[in-house]
Amino acid sequence: MSNRPFVAARIELWLDQRFEALFRRLGWRERVITYTGYGSEAGARLLGRVVLSPTFSDTQIGKAAEEFLRRRGWRNFFTAACVHIRYELTFGDVTVQGTSDRGGCIDHRVRGHGVEPGWRQAQIRVEGGEPTPAPVLVCPDDATFGIVSDIDDTIITTLLPRPFIAAWNTFIRTESARQAVPGMAAFYRELLDAHPGSPLIFLSTGAWNTQPFLRRFLKRHRYPDGPMLLTDWGPTNTGWFRSGQQHKRQSLLQLSTDFPNVSWLLVGDDGQHDPEIYGEYARNNPDRVRLIAIRQLNPTEQFLAHGTTEPLEGEPEGRHDAEVVEAPDGRGLLRALRRRNLLRA
């Protein structure tokens, strides 16, 4: 078998390199987009992306125009990636160098950073550019509780993945038209009040391009802040499209390594495969799951999500010992946790 990447990945790389060369001839230059990283006192995972942007975007008028355009969904998906570009990253006592991937993405782990727990900042820069601050949530090594939350139809009503509705929501509608799931923000705030210093990780199959919108959405609806683990919708080295389910499974396993003492509250919805994925993880890692909380979609939401009025049956999730609570919104989930005294540390 060939070790060469899948043909779609090679085509994408070829196109990205040609577009990068074109934009550089037009005077565009590198810009670092930083994503929220996470870690413990032992090590941290830092995330970002290097893209090209016109020099006009550095002016006050350019920044204002960029901010306005990004609030229209389609604008989030038009970026010019810097392919395999060198960068330098500084976090606490550590300064390291690395190379972005073929999509311009940065996913770098550092150890021995010497940074105290809390919200901190790293610095990422490319040659000839100014350092760009990157937020990092550092959790104490002795943390034993954490939350992993889905995004689509769990905290935000997106009506995914029906193609036409998803495209309308993603590319056409303005951010202000998107709706929050009732009670979910209060649900997370009360949980974190009961477990101060615990990580809240948002895990979704959505594209990295949408993170700025999602950040603004969380802030506007008073959700607690937290790192996001998103993905790329393009081809992989082995196929035409990335697997959203595989992304979630791999991310959960990675979080088990990054936070070896944490037992997770896994929050999702029954519109797609969250019960199946969470149940599989609980079966294979029984000591790493505190509880599974599932938001129940109503029949209309179920139909818009996958074409039927009932939850997807999916593959059998097998037996596991993790407790499961279900409710149609955050208020119901919060009541279920209170009844079970699950808000105690």
Side-chain angles (χ1 to χ4, degrees):
M1 296 179 62
S2 172
N3 291 326
R4 299 181 67 191
F6 185 65
V7 60
R10 301 201 302 271
I11 293 173
E12 181 187 49
L13 176 60
W14 184 87
L15 289 173
D16 284 343
Q17 289 173 329
R18 298 307 179 275
F19 278 120
E20 180 179 353
L22 171 63
F23 289 130
R24 286 188 184 278
R25 286 196 296 270
L26 294 174
W28 290 31
R29 60 188 186 188
E30 296 91 349
R31 177 165 64 94
V32 178
I33 300 173
T34 57
Y35 305 133
T36 302
Y38 68 85
S40 65
E41 296 173 81
R45 182 183 183 186
L46 308 178
L47 302 165
R49 192 181 185 202
V50 186
V51 300
L52 290 174
S53 63
T55 54
F56 169 77
S57 64
D58 293 330
T59 66
Q60 290 299 320
I61 295 177
K63 290 178 181 178
E66 180 78 4
E67 181 67 15
F68 172 77
L69 288 171
R70 284 195 178 278
R71 293 179 184 274
R72 305 298 304 194
W74 61 270
R75 182 60 181 82
N76 293 312
F77 290 86
F78 286 86
T79 55
C82 289
V83 178
H84 299 155
I85 190 168
R86 296 288 296 174
Y87 62 83
E88 182 178 87
L89 187 154
T90 300
F91 187 51
D93 300 332
V94 177
T95 297
V96 295
Q97 288 78 39
T99 303
S100 68
D101 68 12
R102 60 184 173 84
C105 293
I106 297 170
D107 187 347
H108 204 123
R109 296 178 182 276
V110 298
R111 300 189 65 83
H113 51 69
V115 175
E116 295 294 321
W119 280 100
R120 308 301 179 202
Q121 278 194 350
Q123 300 285 337
I124 303 176
R125 74 176 185 89
V126 294
E127 185 177 356
E130 295 295 322
T132 302
V136 184
L137 175 62
V138 179
C139 299
D141 285 343
D142 59 359
T144 59
F145 176 82
I147 305 169
V148 172
S149 172
D150 179 46
I151 295 178
D152 302 329
D153 289 322
T154 299
I155 67 171
I156 177 174
T157 302
T158 56
L159 307 178
L160 290 171
R162 291 295 293 275
F164 293 110
I165 297 173
W168 178 266
N169 282 334
T170 301
F171 296 108
I172 305 301
R173 296 181 74 184
T174 60
E175 292 181 6
S176 60
R178 310 297 287 275
Q179 299 296 315
V181 175
M184 291 303 294
F187 173 69
Y188 292 124
R189 290 198 304 269
E190 188 158 335
L191 279 166
L192 293 180
D193 286 344
H195 303 85
S198 298
L200 166 60
I201 311 292
F202 294 100
L203 174 58
S204 173
T205 58
W208 281 111
N209 309 60
T210 63
Q211 186 185 229
F213 148 67
L214 292 172
R215 289 274 168 229
R216 292 188 291 267
F217 180 90
L218 293 178
K219 184 177 181 180
R220 183 166 62 250
H221 293 280
R222 301 183 61 234
Y223 281 92
D225 198 4
M228 291 184 181
L229 300 180
L230 306 177
T231 187
D232 190 339
W233 285 356
T236 70
N237 287 336
T238 58
W240 286 100
F241 299 104
R242 285 164 172 76
S243 167
Q245 295 181 51
Q246 190 63 23
H247 165 66
K248 285 191 171 184
R249 289 186 172 97
Q250 291 176 346
S251 295
L252 287 171
L253 292 175
Q254 188 60 63
L255 289 171
S256 296
T257 301
D258 295 333
F259 298 103
N261 300 316
V262 169
S263 180
W264 298 96
L265 165 62
L266 305 177
V267 187
D269 64 83
D270 64 0
Q272 287 295 309
H273 300 280
D274 289 343
E276 173 191 340
I277 294 170
Y278 291 166
E280 176 187 299
Y281 179 76
R283 184 175 70 252
N284 296 329
N285 305 272
D287 58 332
R288 308 307 302 275
V289 179
R290 182 79 61 93
L291 178 81
I292 297 174
I294 298 296
R295 186 220 163 199
Q296 299 168 311
L297 274 62
N298 62 42
T300 300
E301 290 173 319
Q302 293 285 0
F303 181 79
L304 291 171
H306 50 71
T308 70
T309 59
E310 299 294 332
L312 290 178
E313 289 298 327
E315 298 179 4
E317 61 187 52
R319 296 178 59 86
H320 60 81
D321 296 329
E323 186 170 4
V324 179
V325 298
E326 298 178 308
D329 56 29
R331 302 183 189 99
L333 291 174
L334 194 55
R335 287 194 296 268
L337 266 62
R338 286 170 176 164
R339 285 196 299 268
R340 292 165 173 78
N341 295 319
L342 293 173
L343 292 176
R344 296 178 179 175

